[in-house]
């Protein structure tokens, strides 16, 4: 119980620090602009106007949310080390694992909050444009929230042992690859060499699969989102986030700040 209270205090401080970051508001402003610009883009087409509008909005939500999770997340630990405040925090009865979990929880709550704001903007633009809006649209946005939870864990992992620049490159790289792992796995399975298929399977299991959270196509085109797939996405997000934070905690516990 005491450990949870310490993690909650660290998460609260991280949230307060994150909402003072001007980069967050810049990316949030651009996301609103992109969501609204879907109306203009949709007018260029005579067919599937609503689908283009909402596909543009969902893509903007995913892209800018990932940007906020990455560029705000990579500086979480580096800023504490740079300001030397980490020594004050760790001199108190706070373990390094609790410190890492508090940072992750605070940033995850921050990106979920900005995701909710983008979701509201998406709903307003859809309503003003007369595009249909059903519960599956919000379910698809909630799945983006799970994707962000995993992405924040990855950003926290890299920020635990490397510089912000490298952490950003690694996190963005994994986010991009994570949306391609299914295609890479399928290509590897078509190879005549058994070793290529085996390596492809291992890579697919090791790297994140962010497409499990991508239900934009179903939501935009009115296709049903299977609840079993949602349950799988929830279990995958919890499992991958837990393993990533465990690895980050092991690395961060051995880091020398001197």
């Amino acid at each position: 119980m005491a450990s949870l209270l310490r993690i909650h205090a660290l998460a609260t401080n991280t949230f307060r620090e994150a909402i003072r970051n001007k980069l967050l508001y810049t990316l949030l402003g651009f996301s609103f602009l992109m969501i609204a610009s879907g109306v203009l883009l949709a007018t260029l087409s005579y067919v599937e106007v609503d689908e283009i509008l909402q596909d543009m909005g969902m893509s903007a939500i995913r892209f800018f949310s990932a940007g906020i999770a990455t560029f705000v997340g990579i500086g979480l630990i580096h800023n504490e080390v740079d300001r030397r405040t980490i020594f004050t925090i760790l001199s108190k009865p706070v373990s390094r694992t609790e410190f890492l979990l508090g940072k992750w929880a605070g940033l995850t709550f921050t990106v979920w909050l900005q995701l909710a704001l983008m979701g509201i903007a998406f709903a307003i633009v859809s309503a003003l444009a007369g595009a249909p809006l059903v519960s599956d649209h919000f379910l698809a946005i909630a799945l983006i929230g799970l994707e962000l939870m995993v992405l924040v864990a990855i950003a926290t992992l890299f920020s635990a042992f490397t510089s912000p620049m490298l952490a950003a490159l690694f996190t963005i790289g994994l986010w991009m690859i994570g949306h391609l792992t299914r295609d890479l796995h399928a290509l590897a399975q078509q190879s005549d060499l058994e070793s290529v298929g085996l390596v492809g399977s291992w890579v697919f299991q090791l790297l994140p699969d962010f497409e499990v959270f991508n239900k934009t196509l179903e939501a935009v085109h009115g296709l049903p989102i299977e609840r079993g797939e949602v349950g799988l996405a929830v279990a995958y997000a919890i499992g991958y986030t837990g393993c990533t934070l465990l690895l980050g905690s092991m690395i961060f516990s051995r880091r020398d700040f001197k």
Side-chain angles (χ1 to χ4, degrees):
M1 187 63 185
S3 179
L4 289 177
L5 291 175
R6 289 193 289 271
I7 292 172
H8 178 266
L10 286 164
T12 302
N13 286 333
T14 301
F15 172 71
R16 289 172 179 166
E17 180 184 350
I19 61 174
R20 290 197 294 266
N21 193 322
K22 295 179 181 177
L23 179 62
L24 184 148
Y25 296 102
T26 302
L27 292 174
L28 194 59
F30 274 112
S31 72
F32 291 156
L33 188 62
M34 288 299 292
I35 291 170
S37 67
V39 177
L40 178 62
L41 187 63
T43 59
L44 301 177
S45 174
Y46 294 102
V47 295
E48 297 188 335
V49 175
D50 295 338
E51 287 79 1
I52 293 174
L53 166 71
Q54 294 185 333
D55 189 45
M56 181 83 175
M58 288 262 187
S59 299
I61 290 174
R62 171 170 278 106
F63 180 78
F64 286 101
S65 295
I68 292 173
T70 301
F71 290 106
V72 178
I74 57 173
L76 287 177
I77 296 176
H78 176 76
N79 292 339
E80 298 286 1
V81 175
D82 194 46
R83 295 195 300 257
R84 318 299 287 178
T85 51
I86 192 169
F87 298 105
T88 305
I89 297 172
L90 295 181
S91 65
K92 298 177 180 178
V94 176
S95 70
R96 293 194 179 196
T97 298
E98 291 170 344
F99 176 81
L100 203 69
L101 289 177
K103 289 292 181 184
W104 167 80
L107 182 57
T108 299
F109 181 74
T110 305
V111 295
W112 280 354
L113 182 62
Q114 57 83 28
L115 178 65
L117 294 174
M118 291 183 193
I120 292 171
F122 173 82
I124 292 174
V125 171
S126 295
L128 292 176
L133 203 60
V134 297
S135 60
D136 277 357
H137 287 97
F138 298 102
L139 183 57
I141 293 175
L143 288 172
I144 295 176
L146 293 178
E147 177 179 335
L148 296 177
M149 184 176 82
V150 178
L151 190 62
V152 170
I154 292 172
T156 305
L157 164 66
F158 288 128
S159 68
F161 66 91
T162 188
S163 65
M165 179 64 75
L166 289 177
L169 291 175
F170 293 152
T171 304
I172 293 172
L174 271 184
W175 182 70
M176 296 176 69
I177 293 173
H179 281 284
L180 298 172
T181 47
R182 290 190 177 189
D183 295 331
L184 295 175
H185 179 252
L187 285 174
Q189 299 311 307
Q190 294 176 7
S191 173
D192 295 331
L193 297 175
E194 185 179 351
S195 58
V196 174
L198 189 62
V199 171
S201 297
W202 276 102
V203 170
F204 180 66
Q205 294 176 19
L206 182 64
L207 296 179
D209 175 22
F210 286 128
E211 281 301 299
V212 76
F213 308 113
N214 187 1
K215 297 301 174 187
T216 299
L217 181 66
E218 288 84 347
V220 169
H221 290 275
L223 302 174
I225 298 177
E226 300 293 336
R227 295 306 182 259
E229 293 182 354
V230 175
L232 176 65
V234 172
Y236 184 81
I238 295 173
Y240 205 92
T241 298
C243 291
T244 304
L245 291 176
L246 178 63
L247 179 61
S249 175
M250 293 169 63
I251 296 172
F252 190 58
S253 298
R254 290 165 175 76
R255 181 173 174 180
D256 185 4
F257 295 106
K258 295 180 180 178

